[in-house]
Each structure stands twice: as structure tokens, then as C-alpha cells.
Amino acid sequence: MVKICCLGAGYVGGPTMAVIALKCPSIEVVVVDISVSRISAWNSDQLPIYEPGLDDVVKQCRGRNLFFSTDIEKHVSEADIIFVSVNTPTKTRGLGAGKAADLTYWESAARMIANVAKSDKIVVEKSTVPVKTAEAIEKILTHNSKGINFQILSNPEFLAEGTAIQDLFKPDRVLIGGRETPEGRKAVQALKDVYANWVPEDRILTTNLWSAELSKLAANAFLAQRISSVNAISALCEATGANVSEVAYSVGKDTRIGPKFLNSSVGFGGSCFQKDILNLVYICECNGLPEVANYWKQVIKINDYQKSRFVNRVVSSMFNTVAGKKIAVLGFAFKKDTGDTRETPAIDVCKGLLGDKAKISIYDPQVTEDQIQRDLAMNKFDWDHPVHLQPMSPTAVKQVSVTWDAYEATKGAHGICILTEWDEFKSLDYKEIYESMQKPAFIFDGRNVVDPEKLREIGFIVYSIGKPLDPWLKDMPAVA
């Protein structure tokens, strides 16, 4: 019986291992983590992450061939294949600060594996890691190997939150990179055999180690680039009276371009896009390719520009001050159908409004008050370190309240900012909301979820990203 152990019970490790257990009943899968609270959540009825369909998968396998444990060393020493999906945050200090990946957690995982291993192991990189990480890990393992053979594989994950389970059931591709030696090929085949239980052969791609590592960074950079491209066009649309939805629709009709990832918004978020591009930039710089580095840097610059443009638009529309005004923020997660707030544009927008002394009331159907307060108090990149290393429960930001209902959040507000495209925001009773707000009542739609014309009929002054501007907004230029 093949035994698989996964280090790290987060957004990647949890769902991936649950699906492997479901599709491969003959394989024993154990997910281990140093966080006791996280493992007990995986063993409870309230899983630590929200992902449509995840509950069912876990409940079907848990206790049968899927286990969650904090006894890391025992399970690592018994496993044949070890997946490593620990955090790889962006460094905040030292060489490469603000760009390079911090491999502290990865390195300690590798040393621990070398320490406890008593038999040959296949070690699989699952977390997003910079190119050439495998080489570093390989060195640590072989120099501490005590005669045991380790094969390193790169098997990047391409999950999108909100659809992770479906992405695992029917992946576009599974990528496995390994050494081009007989032992390396054998290891690749062993992992291929696991996925072949449910993934068609032609969707399992094998490459060398570096191609696999770079493909993940490149894929995320291409996706983020599309969002920044359409967001750059959205600024031009507002300036010229064009409508970004119409432009994006006609552009996306070109089969070479395709319609996906062309929704203009307040900006992209999520745990990977910014981190991976910064990483790509750093690798380019280290390899003497400044032109390539600057090209990819621009994708993040436009994203930051889009967020600050949104805040400027809010402030300048409301008589150039939001001091002491209640502003309702609808949606805090970085996209719908997930409770994940990592790098969500809502953080920068809220901080921008708080900087102008606004009072903010936030409603998100999946994000807890504790999480929101923590996000607003944290420094950049802190979120990517294990919880016990994060600053302790932050002093709550006084001007921020969190409600469990959109109507409560908007009551008495001067303006509403829609920052996540939750479906329920399309069907709110905006007439009732308008009645309860201060006048003039503003809506700033950062996700183009509402129909601006209908809201204008009710009486709102509406700003939708990349849409022709309200006459009111035309008189008030958004100063950058």
C-alpha cells in the first residue's frame, strides 16, 4: 500500500490530499501540520477553509484512508511519497526583501525529512516555489541522507479558489517535473500512477524540474497580466466615455485571446499573483535580465494604480473628504465563493479610506471580524507566515465595524463600495438601502456587479469601473 504524507494543511494541502484519498482508495493519505488548532479543525465538522464541495470529499474519506495529524515525524518516516506544501512568503528583510521568496519553512521541512527518513523517499514540491528551489532542497537532503535515496519532483498546483475541488477532479493539466535520470524518471512515473487513477493520460505532462517550477510562476504572471491589461484599459474608458465591458467583450471574442480573465475590477488579489510575479522579477534580476524584470513589475504597478485610483475616486466624489463619514464596504474576500482575504484589494482600499479618517462598516458573507481586523492591522507580507508567528490579536482598528448583514452595513452611510462580486450583492433591495442612507447617496462598484442605470433611477450617484461617468463625477476629477 502506497503511503502519502503531506506537510502543510492549508488551502493547497487539504483539498489536494482529500481528492487524492477519494480517487485512490488503496492509498493511505495523511496530512500533517504543526498547528494543533488547524489539524483539530480538519478533524471537526467545521473545516478551517471554505471551499464548495470540500466538506463532502473530506467526510467521505476521513478516518478511512484520509487522516489529519500533528505527529509529523511518525508519518513522514512511514511515507513513500511526501508532498511539501508549506508557506513560501515574500521576504520582508535581508537580501531580496520585498521580492524574493522566503524559504525558511521549506528548508526546515527538508532538514526534518532528512532527519527522520529511514527508507527511500520521493519528495514533491507542491507549494509555489522559485525556480531552482528543488536544487537547494536536493542538496540539503543528499548532504544529510545517511545513505538514503531522495528523489525531488516538482508538481505545482493550479487550483483556483472557489473552484478548487472541480479543478482537482478535472484538471486542465497535471504537471510533474523531475530529474532526467533513470531514478528521476522512476519517481515521476510513481507520481504519475497516483494521478492516473482519475486524470486522463494526455493531461499529465512531464518536464524537467526547472520547466515545472517556472511554468507555475509564468502561468500566474500571464493571468495577472490579463487583469492588469483590462484594468489599464478601464482607466482609458472612463476618460473617453467608452464602456470597458463592451471593449472586453469584443476583445474576448477573438479566439486567440478568449473571454476569460477580462473582467475589469478594483484589482486582483489572492495569495499567489503578486507573490509569484515579485518572485519572477527577482529571479530575472538575479539572472541579469533587468528588462524582463521591469516588464513584469509593470503588472503589479497597474494593480496598485487601480486600487489607489478607486480610493481617489471615492474621496474626490464625496466633496474631497470622507472624514467622519460612514462608508459601507460590501465584500472583503479577494473574490466570491471563498473566505480568503490574502492580498485582497479591499485591504488597500479600506486603508486608503481610513487614512482619510472615514468610518468603515464591512459586510462579507464568509469573512470573520477577527480576520478583517487582523488584515487591516498587519504589515505587508505578514499574512504568509504561520499564525503563531503573526502579530498577536491586533488592537482593533477603531473606525472599523463588521456587520453580518448588508442592510446593517449600509444604514446611515454616505457611500457604498462593492469590493467582492458575491452573487447576493446583485439581488439586494437597493431602494430600501437608498432610503436608509445619507444623501447624496453614492455607490462605487469595484466589481461591476450592479446595473448603474437602475441605481441612478433610484437616486444613487454611481461609479462603475471603466463605465461612462455619471455627470456628477465628470465635474469632480479624480486626482491621482
Side-chain angles (χ1 to χ4, degrees), residues 21-35:
L22 178 72
K23 299 290 190 181
C24 314
S26 65
I27 295 178
E28 181 183 287
V29 181
V30 184
V31 184
V32 296
D33 199 293
I34 47 178
S35 163

Side-chain angles (χ1 to χ4, degrees), residues 22 105 211 266 285 341 437:
L22 178 72
Y105 308 116
S211 300
V266 62
E285 288 172 350
T341 59
M437 285 173 68

